[in-house]
Amino acid sequence: LRWLMEQHAAALLGRPVTDFYSDKSQRRELTTRLKREGEVNGFDVHLVGDHGRSFWARASSRLVVFAKTEAVLSTLYDVSQEHQTRESLAQISSDLRQSQERYALAMDASREGIYDLDLESGQLYVSPRIETIFGIPSHGLRTATDWISRIHPDDLPPYRKATLEHFRGHSPSISAEYRITNPEGDILWIRERSVCQRNAKGRAVRLVGSVGDVTELKRAQDALERMNVSLESRVQKRTDELTQS
């Protein structure tokens, strides 16, 4: 504790431990658990020294008796870097989540196209925005077959399943994400939301929906996942180093 606090032993001896807790509720929680369990391991506390140095420490504590007096024996090691890494990860995740939300709102407002498919005749109408997203003029997207042929083979089975479940009345709408390849060979991620209209007998006769290009959103999600893996690896490595020290 003297080394962690960067203070002389004389400045620490005889003082109540509560002097060093930045959050006194942590001390109360630790005390309650010790009285109940007798020993507590891996309990993180935030401590502050007289010179203002603050840090996170991981405590392993147990109740002991010295000269018929009950006391707490604890070992501490500094885990400040681990907490800083976690806080950075949380902030990055929050910032990216807000960015994704802003992107989704912007996409809903101006970046989506609509389509209208006659299920009986197979004729398909697409808006100019969809032509732009797919990179194909409207005469290249005239039927359901034209549309489906653009979907990545790996994404086609779940898309068919979601569509059939909606047609059979098992879901209120279709919500799907899949990849397409534009004429330049670029792979794009598409988000589709659609709903069918039914005739008097309950049969689906028309499908109307909206689609948007969510490629950038997918890239952001992939970047976040890679960042999470990297930061978790760094946290685990640092924890292992501290445990072995």
Side-chain angles (χ1 to χ4, degrees), residues 141-169:
L141 289 170
R142 289 182 173 177
T143 67
T145 300
D146 293 335
W147 186 285
I148 290 175
S149 67
R150 307 290 175 179
I151 298 177
H152 192 285
D154 293 343
D155 300 331
L156 192 54
Y159 178 71
R160 288 185 183 274
K161 179 180 179 182
T163 302
L164 289 175
E165 286 184 350
H166 178 53
F167 287 171
R168 291 168 179 167

Side-chain angles (χ1 to χ4, degrees), residues 100-113 129 133 177 189-193 210-217:
Q100 291 172 345
E101 290 172 354
R102 287 194 295 268
Y103 178 85
L105 289 172
M107 184 183 67
D108 288 341
S110 62
R111 295 180 58 85
E112 291 195 347
R129 177 59 188 159
I133 292 173
E177 292 183 354
W189 275 98
I190 302 299
R191 174 180 291 163
E192 175 182 340
R193 287 169 287 200
S210 66
V211 299
D213 181 352
V214 293
T215 305
E216 292 300 322
L217 180 60

Side-chain angles (χ1 to χ4, degrees), residues 150-203:
R150 307 290 175 179
I151 298 177
H152 192 285
D154 293 343
D155 300 331
L156 192 54
Y159 178 71
R160 288 185 183 274
K161 179 180 179 182
T163 302
L164 289 175
E165 286 184 350
H166 178 53
F167 287 171
R168 291 168 179 167
H170 298 161
S171 63
S173 61
I174 299 170
S175 181
E177 292 183 354
Y178 49 83
R179 289 162 290 178
I180 66 167
T181 303
N182 65 17
E184 288 72 38
D186 300 319
I187 295 178
L188 306 177
W189 275 98
I190 302 299
R191 174 180 291 163
E192 175 182 340
R193 287 169 287 200
S194 51
V195 64
C196 71
Q197 292 184 350
R198 303 179 185 276
N199 61 16
K201 296 181 180 180
R203 179 183 176 183

